[in-house]
Amino acid sequence: MISPEIDHAPVGGNSPRTDAVAWGDVDGNGLLDLFIGIWIDQDNPDLNNPVNINRIVLQQSPGVWLNVTANYVGAERAKLARNTLAAVFSDLDGDGRTDLYVVNDKLRGNLLYRNDGPGCGGWCFSEVAVASGAGQTPMGMGIAVGDIDRDGDWDLYFSSIDEQFFLRGISRMPMQWQRITATPLNFYGVGWSTIFADLDNDGWEDAFLAVGSGGFSQTANKDQLFHNVQGIFENVTLQSGALVQDLPTQQAARIDFDRDGRLDLVLGHWNMGYRLYRNVSQNTNHWLELTLEGGGPVNRGAVGALVEVLTPDGGRQRCEMRAGESRGSSHEPLLHFGLGVYPSAQVTIRWPDGVVEPLGTLAADQFHHRAYPAEMMIFRSSFEP
């Protein structure tokens, strides 16, 4: 189904309109690979133009790329020619290999590429969106991945026109999601970026929806904020301060710009520039933040690393280092955990190469940096052929 196509650039040419870019280490060689998503002209689709369709390109060695979707044919090639606006690499089934979820516009249907490992003339993927319940058909715009109910399954939140899609994860193997419509997350408006983030540090990820009608709808241009109360969302937009305004928003990213342990937002207002919204929530909840640094067999940004935090009440949170999540933006490479009333937590890292490193108890209200263990690099090198 696939034959190798090696190029010295990840694109091989300029696409007419590239709208979605995501990074992940698909083949586990320590080099970041790339998904390039194209919003194509449906009136003039050209499936034979290699730069006018989506592609997954693996970095074989520094600067040498392999387009593993180059020779997809028939229905599989047609799936590469959907109007893509967002994508994210994430190990959605927990098997240690990063998968790819693609959000498409124009009711073309979202796609989920399960990473099945080497073979197939380059690399093997199975497209399992419909079978998994993730194959919804929105006017897709943005994507967020989180474990909002802390059950160990990744949940998905993506936007559309006059409806939004919240998919609750109910199984990892096999991957399975269920759409929940009776939730405030299903907001009536034109949604763009979506974000999961614990904005009040209570230990539960809240949600943000960027809204901008842009002539697609008569609905208002008012971003929405949702508070997570132990897995149940409530709309708290009217209490959000500066977010209560009539401005169309598309791009959104989270960042702790002032390093006070409260996550802030950077929003791109449609044709009106970008603004930084500082989180000034008043509470006494504790927090913990980590930055990670790869080395040896792990990519420098540690993209794909999974961090698990366990608080004394048994609450278990997970965050994954990703690059490209949201819509037209990427979050600060910082893993943030709200700890509620607890001044410390147990922390464990699963590095992208599968090494599991318990860090023990870490103090709250601090920034922690961890590099890939030097002793692990030495151990591995001593056994390499």
Side-chain angles (χ1 to χ4, degrees):
M1 184 173 64
I2 310 172
S3 64
E5 177 186 300
I6 295 178
D7 200 338
H8 291 284
V11 290
N14 293 321
S15 301
R17 178 176 165 181
T18 301
D19 261 89
V21 174
W23 295 90
D25 189 357
V26 170
D27 53 6
N29 67 351
L31 299 171
L32 287 179
D33 309 304
L34 181 63
F35 170 77
I36 303 170
I38 310 301
W39 198 98
I40 71 169
D41 181 358
Q42 287 297 322
D43 293 330
N44 298 287
D46 185 1
L47 300 185
N48 296 317
N49 184 346
V51 301
N52 198 38
I53 59 175
N54 294 350
R55 49 212 184 269
I56 304 170
V57 287
L58 307 189
Q59 193 172 179
Q60 302 288 282
S61 60
V64 178
W65 303 85
L66 173 69
N67 183 348
V68 298
T69 52
N71 290 328
Y72 275 25
V73 297
E76 290 305 310
R77 190 166 185 84
K79 290 178 181 179
L80 299 175
R82 298 185 180 183
N83 302 76
T84 298
L85 287 180
V88 61
F89 278 113
S90 176
D91 183 6
L92 295 170
D93 56 6
D95 67 353
R97 295 190 294 258
T98 189
D99 310 296
L100 174 66
Y101 190 62
V102 180
V103 176
N104 294 310
D105 193 6
K106 301 297 184 183
L107 306 178
R108 303 277 289 164
N110 292 354
L111 299 168
L112 172 57
Y113 291 94
R114 187 185 66 207
N115 186 342
D116 292 336
C120 309
W123 204 261
C124 299
F125 294 94
S126 295
E127 201 289 294
V128 296
V130 173
S132 69
Q136 307 292 321
T137 54
M139 296 283 193
M141 311 288 193
I143 178 63
V145 182
D147 185 5
I148 65 95
D149 47 9
R150 307 198 313 196
D151 66 351
D153 298 321
W154 291 120
D155 308 301
L156 307 176
Y157 184 37
F158 53 89
S159 51
S160 185
I161 293 180
D162 292 347
E163 64 174 340
Q164 321 308 321
F165 290 72
F166 171 51
L167 306 186
R168 187 183 295 276
I170 56 178
S171 171
R172 282 192 291 174
M173 286 190 177
M175 290 187 284
Q176 198 69 44
W177 287 270
Q178 178 183 22
R179 185 184 179 192
I180 308 297
T181 56
T183 170
L185 296 184
N186 186 15
F187 178 75
Y188 184 73
V190 180
W192 294 89
S193 292
T194 54
I195 293 176
F196 284 136
D198 187 356
L199 298 173
D200 61 353
N201 290 332
D202 66 352
W204 299 83
E205 290 180 288
D206 308 300
F208 171 82
L209 173 68
V211 178
S213 61
F216 300 108
S217 170
Q218 298 301 311
T219 54
N221 296 316
K222 292 184 178 180
D223 297 334
Q224 299 295 306
L225 186 65
F226 308 95
H227 182 220
N228 184 349
V229 184
Q230 299 187 11
I232 305 297
F233 287 98
E234 59 182 16
N235 194 317
V236 294
T237 303
L238 295 180
Q239 294 82 48
S240 65
L243 291 180
V244 184
Q245 56 187 329
D246 188 10
L247 287 174
T249 305
Q250 280 200 11
Q251 295 80 16
R254 59 177 182 260
I255 181 175
D256 185 0
F257 92 98
D258 52 2
R259 291 297 187 254
D260 66 351
R262 292 175 291 189
L263 289 176
D264 313 294
L265 296 175
V266 176
L267 305 183
H269 296 300
W270 207 333
N271 297 324
M272 300 172 65
Y274 290 80
R275 296 187 184 184
L276 173 63
Y277 292 83
R278 183 184 178 192
N279 186 344
V280 294
S281 303
Q282 298 298 314
N283 61 61
T284 58
N285 289 332
H286 296 290
W287 53 273
L288 184 151
E289 294 182 343
L290 294 96
T291 54
L292 302 177
E293 179 183 347
V298 173
N299 65 87
R300 183 175 61 181
V303 173
L306 179 73
V307 173
E308 185 176 85
V309 166
L310 179 65
T311 47
D313 63 345
R316 196 176 299 271
Q317 302 178 55
R318 300 184 308 148
C319 283
E320 185 181 43
M321 190 70 75
R322 307 186 186 102
E325 185 183 1
S326 192
R327 154 69 189 155
S329 53
S330 191
H331 305 305
E332 180 184 19
L334 176 79
L335 300 181
H336 173 96
F337 298 89
L339 303 182
V341 300
Y342 300 106
S344 64
Q346 297 281 330
V347 179
T348 302
I349 303 173
R350 190 193 77 183
W351 294 92
D353 66 340
V355 168
V356 176
E357 183 188 12
L359 298 184
T361 300
L362 297 186
D365 307 329
Q366 294 183 24
F367 295 90
H368 301 269
H369 177 79
R370 182 62 179 171
Y372 183 83
E375 61 272 17
M376 292 293 183
M377 294 166 60
I378 295 171
F379 176 81
R380 285 177 173 274
S381 64
S382 67
F383 286 89
E384 290 175 351

